[in-house]
Amino acid sequence: MKTDIEIAQEATMLHIREVAAKAGISEDDLEYYGKYKAKISDDWYEKNKNNKDGKLILVTAINPTPAGEGKTTTSVGLSQAFNKLGKKCVVALREPSLGPCFGIKGGAAGGGYAQVVPMEDLNLHFTGDFHAITTANNLLAALLDNHIQQGNELGIDPRSVIWKRCLDMNDRVLRNIVVGLGKKSDGVVREDHFVITVASEIMAILCLAEDMADLKDKLSKIIVAYNYKGEPVTAGDLKAVGSMAVLLKDAIKPNIIQTLEHTPAIIHGGPFANIAHGCNSVRATKYALKMADYVITEAGFGADLGAEKFFDIKCRKAGLKPDAVVLVATVRALKYNGGVAKADLSKENLDALRKGIVNLEKHIENLKQYGVPVVITLNEFSSDTEAELSFVKSFCEERGCEFALSKVWEKGGEGGIELAEKVLKTLDEKKSNFKPIYEDEASLKEKIETVATKIYGAGDVFFTTEALKMLDKLTALGFANLPVCIAKTQYSLSDDPTLLGRPEGYTLNVREVYISAGAGFVVVLTGQVVTMPGLSKEPAAYRIDIDENGVIKGLF
């Protein structure tokens, strides 16, 4: 069986100008990064902003398991299937982070015959967007520490610096560090921290910004520290905005590449969904909606994280109204939720399937709370039995959802025809009445409790004393109307990664709260989630190599 990278390397790609032409983008509106990658100019959107929007279809999934679900694979395969049916469709996705590529997760370009290419470029440096974000983040950190060193005119309290440096790599030893050691000229000694680039507020800002003016406005509002009076100090106060914006001038432009079947793929931005808001950029989505009659996009991890944040943060801020949701699962993942060990997932086990399908059930219920029609798809494996597939199909249809098997990994767009037809049927027969799950006017505490109880299934929420104090402070500073971005484990509906299935009535533990004033949301840390991941004992980096001909191997 060929690996994903082998399939991708055997693909015949079209020049990106040919792919872009399918989306109505002329060569004059492309900024080339070689033959197969390009950025789309701001001028293109200005010329096409009055086009009618296409239908917006979100792809999400159950909670991830070691068995695999295939959310990106489904997104790519579904877009290919739409085009096979003669529908004008593009797919809008996030850019992969280097952290998971070299860590435990591997690449993020789809899989099998439902991939975006060039796969190696996308998973590695791509067009340099993440490097630009990392550099802008760390420029702000450097200007902050330099300001304190050079007399501290703003009266910044070094003990109240909240801006963290970042790196797009899993490096646990950088979570907690000390800076400024050495001579007096080497800076003021203080504790500091790193986050992974995809958790940086600059990433969130880039993904939520409408244009350069909006980007600069959001950058100016970043709170980097508090002064000795307890008042916020911003990037604007540090005169950092212009130089950061210069570093991001190209990164703000959406990228276009192609799927294996030459469907246009708009790839831009990449915040993690377990510690950030988990969606591609607003600009990428809005560009895509002006290009095609149907736009497939995705949100990271399970629907409790990615879909919730897509609805409650991205759609709220960008005025987007999704028309349908595709919820991805596998028989293997459902059996894993039912208590079956990974080594035994290939054996038929209807009892475990009945126990584990409650995870899917909860996600269906959650998505329906937003008023968006739901289509369920199973990524089919050769080990799935007819009895297992029939059980899941009946379960979904009894809950008023269209159901389809997906074979896009094996067959590409052809394997997604059944799913595409069910999505089209849903779009024709069911109207989306999308509405976020909480109102802007609710208190920050109420918003957290709403997501915890209605989406996660918690019975109660515990707030540390520090978290409650920060909620009060942020409310006093005028941030109570912002949405909340809850950081929690992706592996469970709860904040405990070991609680599979459908945990209910537990207590969600909120340990820390901080403001991302530029991005426009309040970050809530729960359980033991960390914003700088670490590498596993056997990281993917061990398997990645390049030969004397420049051919990369082992990248998923």
Side-chain angles (χ1 to χ4, degrees), residues 416-480:
I417 295 292
E418 180 188 350
L419 174 58
E421 289 175 338
K422 290 296 177 70
V423 172
L424 287 168
K425 180 183 178 185
T426 298
L427 292 171
D428 286 341
E429 297 179 357
K430 297 181 181 179
K431 186 177 185 297
S432 174
N433 297 301
F434 169 70
K435 185 181 179 184
I437 204 166
Y438 54 77
E439 301 292 339
D440 292 340
E441 294 73 27
S443 71
L444 292 173
K445 191 166 181 284
E446 287 170 339
K447 291 169 183 171
I448 297 166
E449 290 169 341
T450 297
V451 175
T453 56
K454 290 190 175 183
I455 301 299
Y456 303 160
D460 192 19
V461 181
F462 170 77
F463 296 86
T464 63
T465 302
E466 293 78 9
L468 288 172
K469 285 180 179 177
M470 184 54 71
L471 287 173
D472 289 341
K473 182 171 186 173
L474 295 179
T475 299
L477 288 171
F479 296 121

Side-chain angles (χ1 to χ4, degrees), residues 484-499:
V484 294
C485 183
I486 302 180
K488 79 167 184 69
T489 178
Q490 63 268 35
Y491 298 115
S492 171
L493 284 158
S494 74
D495 57 352
D496 179 350
T498 66
L499 295 180

Side-chain angles (χ1 to χ4, degrees), residues 527-549:
Q528 299 302 310
V529 69
V530 293
T531 53
M532 169 55 86
L535 292 171
S536 64
K537 189 173 183 179
E538 296 284 334
Y542 288 178
R543 303 188 298 273
I544 296 170
D545 200 0
I546 186 169
D547 67 18
E548 62 274 12
N549 297 313

Side-chain angles (χ1 to χ4, degrees), residues 230-241:
E231 300 163 335
V233 178
T234 66
D237 295 330
L238 287 172
K239 303 175 184 176
V241 175

Side-chain angles (χ1 to χ4, degrees), residues 334 352-362 391-392 395:
L334 294 174
L353 189 55
R354 289 188 188 94
K355 292 177 184 176
I357 205 166
V358 295
N359 186 268
L360 175 64
E361 180 181 47
K362 176 58 174 166
F391 174 77
V392 178
F395 184 91

Side-chain angles (χ1 to χ4, degrees), residues 393-409:
K393 181 176 187 290
S394 298
F395 184 91
C396 297
E397 291 177 345
E398 287 167 5
R399 283 151 184 80
C401 301
E402 291 290 342
F403 173 87
L405 293 176
S406 173
K407 301 179 181 180
V408 296
W409 188 92

Side-chain angles (χ1 to χ4, degrees), residues 32-49:
Y32 291 125
Y33 284 67
K35 292 191 287 187
Y36 307 116
K37 300 173 292 186
K39 283 189 171 287
I40 307 168
S41 73
D42 295 335
D43 291 340
W44 182 88
Y45 188 77
E46 284 302 308
K47 288 183 285 191
N48 292 275
K49 64 183 180 182

